């Protein structure tokens, strides 16, 4: 398999298809049509043009993309953000793994069965139905219906409709937190604060529906409101507890 390296500002007017080998954007590249990668794609300089980049192979992103990024079809596909990047059209991860190890700006959508691993900051909303391990901060909202572990801060709201969110590091959630949407069985949307960990809630948390469960084994600092569902308390709550329904 061969390789292509863009080492001077270039415009590619037709579709780019990488079925093997490697394509490296080391200088500004403007696309006139979409790019599909089933080999190795390395973005070290800005990719312009507002097109869609589709990955079913191995990709690294270390520069800005004006357009959207989609990873689909191949469960073995991987994308790593290894340099500060802004993806203006967001990233849709339908299969495989997205690793964010450098600052990323853009909304991220992770489908069921896909994986997300964040160790640096995300500026944008994260919507995940897959498995997410978040050790960096999110400047935006978190919408979770999969299996999420959280050790970073979230500046926006947190909405959990299903699955589990486990706080396994000191975290501050600035916006309102809602657990449960009534669509699942009792306890099927669970927010757990692990033993020895502290969850700080500037906007409070509401167990809002019959499927919601707040499991506090560590410490919650903030207001807790229960309108339905359940709170399982074996740790500490530093703040008010309001019971309008459900069980404590």
């Amino acid at each position: 398999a061969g390789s292509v390296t863009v080492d001077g500002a270039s415009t590619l007017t037709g579709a780019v298809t990488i079925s093997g080998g490697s394509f490296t954007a080391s200088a500004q590249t403007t696309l006139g049509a979409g790019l599909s990668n089933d080999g190795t794609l390395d973005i070290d300089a800005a990719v312009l043009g507002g097109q869609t980049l589709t990955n079913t192979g191995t990709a690294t992103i270390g520069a800005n993309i004006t357009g959207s990024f989609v990873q689909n079809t191949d469960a073995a596909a991987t994308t790593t953000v290894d340099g500060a990047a802004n993806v203006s059209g967001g990233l849709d991860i339908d299969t495989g793994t997205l690793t964010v190890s450098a600052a990323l700006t853009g909304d991220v959508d992770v489908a069921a069965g896909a994986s997300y691993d964040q160790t640096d900051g995300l500026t944008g909303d994260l919507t995940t139905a897959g498995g997410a391990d978040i050790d960096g901060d999110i400047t935006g909202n978190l919408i979770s219906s999969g299996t999420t572990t959280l050790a970073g801060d979230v500046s926006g709201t947190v909405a959990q409709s299903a699955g589990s969110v486990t706080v396994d590091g000191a975290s501050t959630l600035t916006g309102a937190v809602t657990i449960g949407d009534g669509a699942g069985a009792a306890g099927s949307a669970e927010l757990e604060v692990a033993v020895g960990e502290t969850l700080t809630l500037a906007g409070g948390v509401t167990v809002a529906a019959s499927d919601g469960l707040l499991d506090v084994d560590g410490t919650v600092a903030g207001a807790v409101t229960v309108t339905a569902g359940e709170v399982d308390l074996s740790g500490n709550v530093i703040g008010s507890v309001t019971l309008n329904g459900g069980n404590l």
Side-chain angles (χ1 to χ4, degrees), residues 148-178:
T148 299
T149 59
L150 178 65
D153 300 337
V154 180
S155 70
T157 61
V158 176
Q160 184 190 357
S161 60
S164 64
V165 173
T166 301
V167 178
D168 65 357
S171 296
T172 297
L173 309 181
T174 303
V177 179
T178 305

Side-chain angles (χ1 to χ4, degrees), residues 38-39 55-59 71-79 95-98 113:
D38 195 35
N55 179 51
T56 55
T58 300
Q71 182 167 286
N72 59 21
T73 307
D74 192 338
T78 63
T79 296
T95 58
T97 301
L98 171 63

Side-chain angles (χ1 to χ4, degrees), residues 100-123:
V100 178
S101 55
L104 173 64
T105 298
D107 295 336
V108 178
D109 193 334
V110 180
S115 299
Y116 176 80
D117 186 5
Q118 179 189 334
T119 57
D120 209 310
L122 172 67
T123 300

Side-chain angles (χ1 to χ4, degrees), residues 107-242:
D107 295 336
V108 178
D109 193 334
V110 180
S115 299
Y116 176 80
D117 186 5
Q118 179 189 334
T119 57
D120 209 310
L122 172 67
T123 300
D125 295 340
L126 172 62
T127 302
T128 176
D133 187 0
I134 305 168
D135 292 318
D137 297 338
I138 298 175
T139 304
N141 303 312
L142 171 62
I143 303 96
S144 177
S145 59
T147 302
T148 299
T149 59
L150 178 65
D153 300 337
V154 180
S155 70
T157 61
V158 176
Q160 184 190 357
S161 60
S164 64
V165 173
T166 301
V167 178
D168 65 357
S171 296
T172 297
L173 309 181
T174 303
V177 179
T178 305
I179 308 171
D181 66 357
S188 61
E190 179 185 5
L191 173 62
E192 178 186 1
V193 182
V195 173
E197 305 298 348
T198 298
L199 174 62
T200 302
L201 299 166
V205 58
T206 300
V207 185
S210 59
D211 54 351
L213 170 62
L214 175 62
D215 186 0
V216 182
D217 297 321
T219 299
V220 170
V224 176
T225 301
V226 184
T227 58
E230 183 177 350
V231 175
D232 186 353
L233 181 61
S234 57
N236 304 304
V237 175
I238 304 171
S240 62
V241 178
T242 302

